Amino acid sequence: MSYRFADRTKMFKTSAIREIAGMIQKKGSDVISFAGGNPFEHYFPHEEIKRAFEKVFESGKGSLQYGMTPGFMPLRELISERVKSKGISAKPEEILLTTGSQQAIDLFSRIMLSPNDVVLTENPTFLAAVQAFESYEAKVVGVSGDKDGMDPEDLEKKLKQHQPKFIYVVPTFSNPEGKVWSEERRRALLELAYKYNTLVLEDDPYGDIQFHEEETYTPIAAMDEQKSQVVYTGSFSKTVVPSLRIGWVTGPAPVLAYMSQIKEAADLMSSPLNQQALYYLMTEMDLDAHIRMLTKQYYQHMSVMQDYLKTLDGDLVSWNEPKGGMFLWANVHESINTTELLAKILDHGVAYIPGAPFYVENPQQNTLRLNFTHSSPEKIKIGMERLTAAFLQSLK
Amino acid sequence: MSYRFADRTKMFKTSAIREIAGMIQKKGSDVISFAGGNPFEHYFPHEEIKRAFEKVFESGKGSLQYGMTPGFMPLRELISERVKSKGISAKPEEILLTTGSQQAIDLFSRIMLSPNDVVLTENPTFLAAVQAFESYEAKVVGVSGDKDGMDPEDLEKKLKQHQPKFIYVVPTFSNPEGKVWSEERRRALLELAYKYNTLVLEDDPYGDIQFHEEETYTPIAAMDEQKSQVVYTGSFSKTVVPSLRIGWVTGPAPVLAYMSQIKEAADLMSSPLNQQALYYLMTEMDLDAHIRMLTKQYYQHMSVMQDYLKTLDGDLVSWNEPKGGMFLWANVHESINTTELLAKILDHGVAYIPGAPFYVENPQQNTLRLNFTHSSPEKIKIGMERLTAAFLQSLK
């Protein structure tokens, strides 16, 4: 039979990254992959999570029942305290728990976007967010920028031109670029958002993985003193474990009210069991100490990776040292197409993700993203030896 | 500021049932509520779930990592086997795991429904499904029916008139009516679905709670030998526990492909941890024996409830004995408005859900739904004593 699907399915895209991941997997397990975005399993607080679940089970059978759509209140209270330390004021009732921050992005898109609405994003930007925006038949327009964030001039031009529904940004250790916006650019964005009555979706899954303690990266949501403009989402997938699938979102009350209402239709609620376990984990374990450990370790991972890149000619490869997060973004010589190069590189038993798929327009073919969190430093060494050798050989 | 929400938000409805639940909660914990749809906690396989999670943690840190969007393959294999016993052929790759069956309903709606598309449903029907359909700006049209299911004549008339995208049905122990469709009506529906090139969404969260072992209720999906017409969704919320939030869906390959693709944008994946735990639970525990125990117990609950109703005059209240599921649906004398009556009944310390909110059109004001699974038989006795007394008193 011929199926009569919704119009929006025409906008569905297969993730280019998933296709590349499939290509890498086919090559077999010998390949050291810097392509994904997974945290390193070795650092997972395995014992602590096990004990947290024991606590939940000890608390009785009621813990296995349905919960409330917005989530387990004691966990929302803890998150409210955590964001306060970042300068964001959000009462527990103003925290909505989601199935990862991906669901927060999706639910927000669902209440905001009608067909042909515009979303402004960085270029390149996080691909799965673009997938969500486009699935509601929105148009995604890239704003140009540099290492400090979006260019306010180009942003203002595009705000005027497109009257977007919102601006999507990952200002702290972004995916894919791993960059961090300057304070000035953050403020400029917020001022323009006020001026043009446009919401900001600030996605902050990596913010806690900050390599330089002495630096301060104020969330844009913390600058939004009127609490009218910024929807802020975070996740425990990178700092605790991904498999709990716990993210959360806060923002202006009318936005949260709609998001909570539509979450009811979307999946009724995320797992109350996992939310309770995370609550016990956070009360029994020093999560901040764990994050400090993680950050210290990931800095070592990044340094190992970077040291190998430094052996290459600056004309061949250039990058800005990541100040946190999970990714190192590199430019290679403009004569090189990293998508074409990947096939050759794979033959050397190592993989990266070409940068092109992350662009919403004008893809830069000479870019690539390297993940430094998923592999051990030892594996990173081997992988980078292969990568640098393959680079040099491919360019002969 | 004034927020520019998506057009679809105009269609969002606050659940009338949730409002009533709030009203009941305000009355305090002395109220015995037959209003909700929760299973009885006392029967939860608490120890078995605890052990299942221990198994997951024993399996190593990898169990805490990201998984695949369609879900944990070994669990999909077990579900494939389970549905085979119901006559449905679905390979493991044809099973998509979701966050409860609510997410299956939502994802299917998302790939099918453009604004003004029509969905045909029973009338009354499951409210949260209607919420999902309407959130995509679809129109929901009720098909008339009787105790055996939808009236094929009215169904054909409405298929011609509306060319709906799909027909949504809960043919086995429906919510709210607790009824079970006859084999003949199931076949008639499927034939009409073929004839008018319309998909069927068969929602079967209650099918396993079947009171009379000797009877056979063939899923419509099992009759769809071409596997072209029926999307079938099930859940472990009623048979294991709700807090795992594990549902699943199977159906024609092009439908599943789109649903899996959009799940990636919706929440990337449901909790891989919970999926692994359910897998171990199902391999270590005899789930069918557990379901038989549940069924036997819930039959007792239902019988206790029904025995009290039998003390009332047949002119005052009538119902069809539920053959399974979680709900007893009753008609009271046509002079009685059950929404108005509820306030008085609540003063007696007992609650039900008026039937009117479940109707998509022509609400019958003299109907009500009683849940018999959430309370113990002892509590049901007390509640029903209050309810029958309150009924008689209110009608003086």
Side-chain angles (χ1 to χ4, degrees):
Chain A
M1 76 174 273
S2 65
Y3 295 99
R4 294 171 292 136
F5 292 113
D7 296 338
R8 70 176 66 83
T9 55
K10 289 173 196 141
M11 299 300 296
F12 291 6
K13 273 184 197 158
T14 305
S15 156
I17 289 177
R18 215 147 270 243
E19 274 176 29
I20 293 165
M23 207 169 117
I24 294 167
Q25 217 168 12
K26 260 191 209 154
K27 275 279 165 182
S29 59
D30 290 344
V31 173
I32 293 176
S33 176
F34 302 132
N38 288 9
F40 189 36
E41 292 167 19
H42 184 69
Y43 304 144
F44 287 169
H46 181 256
E47 278 302 315
E48 291 83 349
I49 290 175
K50 193 181 143 190
R51 278 202 297 276
F53 272 90
E54 282 166 10
K55 286 261 170 195
V56 179
F57 296 127
E58 276 166 28
S59 76
K61 291 186 170 184
S63 63
L64 300 170
Q65 190 55 281
Y66 283 109
M68 307 283 287
T69 298
F72 185 59
M73 187 49 94
L75 177 59
R76 295 160 76 197
E77 284 165 5
L78 292 185
I79 294 171
S80 167
E81 284 168 29
R82 284 188 77 77
V83 297
K84 198 179 284 171
S85 72
K86 292 177 193 288
I88 299 167
S89 132
K91 295 187 201 110
E93 312 86 76
E94 293 169 337
I95 305 278
L96 173 66
L97 298 184
T98 54
T99 304
S101 50
Q102 182 68 33
Q103 190 185 37
I105 294 170
D106 186 61
L107 295 177
F108 179 63
S109 304
R110 188 159 169 185
I111 68 159
M112 294 307 299
L113 298 174
S114 294
N116 301 312
D117 279 348
V118 170
V119 178
L120 299 185
T121 68
E122 296 165 270
N123 188 36
T125 189
F126 176 48
L127 209 68
V130 173
Q131 270 183 296
F133 307 151
E134 291 187 340
S135 79
Y136 295 106
E137 298 167 85
K139 287 182 195 158
V140 177
V141 175
V143 176
S144 59
D146 56 26
K147 67 174 183 45
D148 294 320
M150 274 182 183
D151 170 20
E153 208 168 296
D154 192 48
L155 176 58
E156 180 152 23
K157 192 182 110 192
K158 281 165 180 164
L159 282 164
K160 276 186 195 160
Q161 191 182 342
H162 298 288
Q163 297 162 297
K165 279 293 182 72
F166 60 88
I167 312 160
Y168 170 75
V169 291
V170 191
T172 311
F173 323 129
S174 66
N175 179 0
E177 291 185 283
K179 77 182 175 191
V180 54
W181 286 35
S182 69
E183 182 99 358
E184 193 190 339
R185 289 289 177 84
R186 291 168 191 246
R187 292 209 180 271
L189 172 91
L190 185 60
E191 288 312 316
L192 288 169
Y194 285 136
K195 185 170 170 187
Y196 291 93
N197 184 25
T198 299
L199 288 168
V200 175
L201 175 55
E202 181 177 20
D203 186 9
D204 192 18
Y206 312 109
D208 283 334
I209 304 169
Q210 175 181 335
F211 295 153
H212 307 288
E213 268 188 29
E214 70 287 3
E215 298 199 19
T216 305
Y217 315 119
T218 314
I220 300 170
M223 300 170 174
D224 179 25
E225 282 165 25
Q226 308 172 35
K227 286 209 64 175
S228 63
Q229 223 66 27
V230 184
V231 176
Y232 180 80
T233 178
S235 167
F236 291 95
S237 294
K238 323 301 180 192
T239 49
V240 182
V241 289
S243 70
L244 291 171
R245 301 298 298 125
I246 300 182
W248 52 269
V249 59
T250 187
V255 171
L256 276 187
Y258 268 142
M259 285 179 75
S260 181
Q261 204 173 1
I262 201 60
K263 180 163 170 61
E264 202 179 309
D267 64 7
L268 197 55
M269 71 196 65
S270 302
S271 169
L273 178 62
N274 295 4
Q275 292 172 4
Q276 291 167 80
L278 181 57
Y279 164 76
Y280 284 113
L281 185 91
M282 286 170 71
T283 49
E284 304 272 318
M285 165 186 164
D286 185 345
L287 180 57
D288 289 317
H290 177 72
I291 292 172
R292 278 194 299 276
M293 177 281 291
L294 264 187
T295 302
K296 208 174 141 186
Q297 294 294 337
Y298 284 154
Y299 179 75
Q300 290 306 322
H301 289 223
M302 185 279 290
S303 300
V304 167
M305 180 171 271
Q306 184 174 246
D307 286 348
Y308 277 90
L309 289 179
K310 282 181 182 165
T311 65
L312 295 171
D313 192 296
D315 191 43
L316 178 58
V317 58
S318 62
W319 69 96
N320 291 307
E321 178 175 316
K323 295 182 166 181
M326 302 173 73
F327 304 110
L328 188 152
W329 178 255
N331 282 265
V332 293
H333 191 274
E334 59 185 14
S335 67
I336 305 172
N337 178 316
T338 54
T339 308
E340 290 167 10
L341 185 65
L342 179 61
K344 290 186 200 172
I345 291 282
L346 273 174
D347 289 336
H348 287 80
V350 63
Y352 57 77
I353 286 277
F358 293 100
Y359 287 85
V360 295
E361 52 203 45
N362 306 320
Q364 300 297 300
Q365 299 293 350
N366 64 325
T367 55
L368 58 92
R369 189 192 76 176
L370 295 168
N371 165 276
F372 51 77
T373 59
H374 185 47
S375 303
S376 66
E378 294 67 36
K379 240 183 169 177
I380 292 177
K381 273 185 198 171
I382 303 168
M384 288 304 291
E385 268 162 25
R386 292 178 187 175
L387 187 72
T388 48
F391 262 168
L392 293 171
Q393 195 180 318
S394 307
L395 298 172
K396 269 179 193 164
Chain B
M1 79 174 269
S2 63
Y3 295 99
R4 293 171 295 136
F5 292 113
D7 296 337
R8 71 177 64 84
T9 55
K10 288 174 196 139
M11 299 299 297
F12 291 7
K13 273 184 197 160
T14 304
S15 156
I17 289 177
R18 216 146 269 244
E19 275 177 28
I20 293 165
M23 209 170 115
I24 294 167
Q25 218 168 13
K26 260 191 206 154
K27 275 278 164 184
S29 59
D30 290 344
V31 173
I32 292 176
S33 176
F34 303 131
N38 288 10
F40 189 36
E41 292 167 21
H42 184 68
Y43 304 143
F44 287 168
H46 181 257
E47 277 303 314
E48 290 84 350
I49 291 174
K50 192 181 145 190
R51 279 202 297 278
F53 272 91
E54 282 166 10
K55 286 260 169 194
V56 179
F57 295 127
E58 276 166 28
S59 76
K61 291 186 171 184
S63 63
L64 300 170
Q65 190 57 280
Y66 284 108
M68 307 283 286
T69 299
F72 185 58
M73 187 49 95
L75 177 60
R76 294 160 78 197
E77 284 165 4
L78 291 186
I79 294 171
S80 168
E81 284 168 29
R82 283 189 78 78
V83 298
K84 198 179 283 170
S85 71
K86 293 178 193 285
I88 300 167
S89 132
K91 295 187 201 112
E93 313 86 76
E94 293 168 340
I95 305 278
L96 173 66
L97 298 184
T98 53
T99 304
S101 51
Q102 182 67 33
Q103 190 184 38
I105 294 169
D106 186 61
L107 295 177
F108 179 63
S109 304
R110 186 159 170 186
I111 67 159
M112 294 307 299
L113 299 174
S114 294
N116 301 311
D117 279 349
V118 170
V119 178
L120 299 184
T121 69
E122 295 164 273
N123 188 36
T125 190
F126 176 47
L127 208 69
V130 173
Q131 270 184 297
F133 307 151
E134 291 187 340
S135 79
Y136 295 106
E137 298 169 84
K139 286 182 195 159
V140 178
V141 175
V143 176
S144 58
D146 56 26
K147 67 174 182 46
D148 294 321
M150 274 182 183
D151 169 20
E153 209 168 297
D154 192 48
L155 176 58
E156 179 151 24
K157 192 182 109 192
K158 281 165 180 164
L159 282 164
K160 275 185 195 160
Q161 191 183 342
H162 298 289
Q163 296 162 297
K165 278 294 181 72
F166 60 87
I167 312 161
Y168 170 75
V169 291
V170 191
T172 311
F173 323 129
S174 65
N175 180 0
E177 291 185 284
K179 77 182 175 191
V180 54
W181 287 36
S182 69
E183 182 99 357
E184 192 191 339
R185 290 288 177 84
R186 291 168 190 245
R187 294 213 179 267
L189 172 92
L190 184 60
E191 289 311 318
L192 288 169
Y194 285 135
K195 185 171 171 186
Y196 291 93
N197 185 24
T198 300
L199 288 168
V200 175
L201 175 56
E202 181 177 19
D203 187 8
D204 192 18
Y206 312 108
D208 284 333
I209 303 169
Q210 174 181 334
F211 295 153
H212 306 289
E213 269 189 28
E214 70 286 3
E215 298 199 19
T216 305
Y217 314 119
T218 313
I220 300 169
M223 300 171 173
D224 178 26
E225 282 165 24
Q226 308 172 34
K227 285 209 65 176
S228 62
Q229 224 66 29
V230 183
V231 176
Y232 181 82
T233 177
S235 167
F236 291 95
S237 294
K238 323 300 181 192
T239 49
V240 182
V241 289
S243 69
L244 291 171
R245 302 298 299 126
I246 300 182
W248 51 269
V249 59
T250 186
V255 171
L256 276 186
Y258 268 143
M259 285 179 74
S260 180
Q261 203 173 3
I262 202 60
K263 182 164 169 60
E264 202 179 308
D267 65 5
L268 198 56
M269 70 196 64
S270 302
S271 168
L273 178 62
N274 295 4
Q275 292 172 5
Q276 291 167 83
L278 181 58
Y279 164 75
Y280 284 114
L281 185 90
M282 287 170 71
T283 50
E284 304 272 319
M285 165 184 164
D286 185 345
L287 180 57
D288 289 317
H290 177 72
I291 292 172
R292 279 194 300 276
M293 177 281 291
L294 264 187
T295 301
K296 208 174 140 186
Q297 294 294 337
Y298 285 154
Y299 179 75
Q300 291 305 322
H301 288 224
M302 185 278 289
S303 300
V304 167
M305 180 171 271
Q306 184 174 246
D307 286 348
Y308 277 91
L309 289 179
K310 282 179 182 166
T311 66
L312 295 171
D313 192 295
D315 191 44
L316 178 58
V317 58
S318 62
W319 70 97
N320 291 306
E321 179 176 317
K323 294 181 167 182
M326 303 174 73
F327 304 109
L328 188 152
W329 178 256
N331 282 264
V332 293
H333 191 274
E334 59 185 16
S335 66
I336 305 172
N337 179 316
T338 54
T339 308
E340 290 167 10
L341 186 64
L342 179 62
K344 289 186 200 172
I345 292 281
L346 273 174
D347 288 337
H348 288 80
V350 63
Y352 58 76
I353 286 277
F358 293 100
Y359 286 85
V360 295
E361 52 203 45
N362 306 321
Q364 299 297 300
Q365 299 293 350
N366 63 326
T367 55
L368 59 92
R369 190 192 76 176
L370 295 168
N371 165 276
F372 52 77
T373 59
H374 185 47
S375 303
S376 67
E378 294 67 36
K379 240 185 168 175
I380 291 178
K381 273 185 199 173
I382 303 168
M384 289 305 290
E385 268 163 25
R386 292 178 188 174
L387 188 72
T388 48
F391 262 166
L392 293 172
Q393 196 180 319
S394 306
L395 298 172
K396 270 179 193 165

